[in-house]
Amino acid sequence: MWQGGGEIATRDGKHSAFASPATVQALKFWQDTIQQKVAPRNLPGGGGWDVIANLASGFCAMQNLGIWGVKALRDHAKDFQYGVFPYPLPPNGQQRTVLGGWAFVANAKGKNPEEAAKFCVWAVGSMQDDCIQRVVDRCTKAAGLMTPRKSVLEKATIEGGYSSGPMKLFKDWTLLTGRSEPRVPPEVYKAVSDTIQACQLGGADPMEAAEEGSQRIESFLSGYTGAPLH
C-alpha cells in the first residue's frame, strides 16, 4: 500500500484514506499469491516469521520476512545459502518498508516515572560510550537488528556488524527507504487486518473490501480523540 502511494488515514488523522487504488492493488497482490497457489494457506513451525521451519527447511523458495531472519539463519542454519532482496514494486511505485519494533516506555502514572525515564535513556538513549556500545551489541550480536541511532550505526559498521552480506543490504538500502511502523488504535488495526484476511484467505473483492474497511475506519475516527495517527 505504501509503495503504491496509499495511506491508512489522511495526514491530519481525522479521516480514512484506506479506500485507494494503492490499497486495492496491495490487497489484490496478496490475494493473487493464494489464488495462483504460489503462497500456502498454512505454514509450518511458528508461522510466517519462522524462517527455519519455512525457508531453511525447503518448504518455500522465498519468504516475506524481517531482519530477524538473518540472525535466526546464522544461529540455526549457518550453512544454508540464501539471498535478500527488497519488496517488488507495483506500477509507478516507490520503494518503502516498515521500520520499528520493541520500544522502551516510561509510564507517566507509574510509582516513579522519573527514574523509569532515566532508565530508558541509560539503556538505549544516551550518548555515553557504554550506552552506545550496549545498543551496538544488542543490534549486531544479541538480536541482529538495525538501529535508528546514527552514533550506533557508525560504530556498529566500524566493528563489522553491517559491512557485508544481508546486514549490509539492510543498512545501505532498506534503512534508507523505511518508514516508522504505523501507530494506530486497535480498532483501526483490526479493520486493516480483517480486510487483508478477507481478501487473501476469504476471496473477497479487493475494491469492495477496501471500501468496507475504510468505512469502519472512518466511523471510528469520527469519534476518536486520542493521539494522532501516524
Side-chain angles (χ1 to χ4, degrees), residues 67 70 82-84 146 162 164-172 174:
I67 194 172
V70 175
Y82 70 98
V84 176
M146 293 306 301
Y162 302 125
S164 63
M167 297 301 282
K168 186 176 189 301
L169 183 142
F170 276 101
K171 171 182 173 288
D172 294 343
T174 308

Side-chain angles (χ1 to χ4, degrees), residues 32-155:
D32 286 348
T33 66
I34 296 294
Q35 294 186 349
Q36 296 178 16
K37 298 183 178 181
V38 296
R41 284 180 171 271
N42 299 295
L43 300 171
W49 61 268
D50 192 339
V51 68
I52 304 301
N54 289 281
L55 189 67
S57 73
F59 177 75
C60 63
M62 295 184 292
Q63 188 170 357
N64 177 27
L65 204 66
I67 194 172
W68 63 84
V70 175
K71 184 176 186 299
L73 290 168
R74 186 177 67 201
D75 290 348
H76 304 292
K78 62 180 180 180
D79 295 327
F80 180 71
Q81 299 294 310
Y82 70 98
V84 176
F85 60 91
Y87 290 134
L89 287 175
N92 301 313
Q94 292 186 325
Q95 199 68 51
R96 292 287 184 272
T97 192
V98 60
L99 301 179
W102 299 104
F104 282 92
V105 176
N107 187 351
K109 298 182 179 179
K111 292 182 178 180
N112 197 334
E114 185 66 25
E115 287 301 312
K118 289 179 179 178
F119 171 78
C120 292
V121 174
W122 171 86
V124 296
S126 84
M127 288 302 296
Q128 297 296 319
D129 290 342
D130 63 335
C131 178
I132 293 173
Q133 189 63 54
R134 186 179 302 113
V135 183
V136 168
D137 292 343
R138 165 71 176 164
C139 289
T140 62
K141 297 177 183 179
L145 304 171
M146 293 306 301
T147 172
R149 296 193 57 185
K150 183 179 179 181
S151 57
V152 174
L153 190 66
E154 290 175 348
K155 194 173 196 320

Side-chain angles (χ1 to χ4, degrees), residues 204-215:
D205 179 83
M207 185 173 295
E208 293 178 2
E211 288 286 353
E212 182 179 340
S214 184
Q215 290 172 12

Side-chain angles (χ1 to χ4, degrees), residues 204-227:
D205 179 83
M207 185 173 295
E208 293 178 2
E211 288 286 353
E212 182 179 340
S214 184
Q215 290 172 12
R216 290 174 59 184
I217 295 170
E218 184 72 24
S219 177
F220 171 76
L221 290 178
S222 65
Y224 177 65
T225 58

Side-chain angles (χ1 to χ4, degrees), residues 19 23-24 41 46 53 58 89 132 166 175 178 188:
T23 299
V24 173
R41 284 180 171 271
L89 287 175
I132 293 173
L175 188 62
V188 174

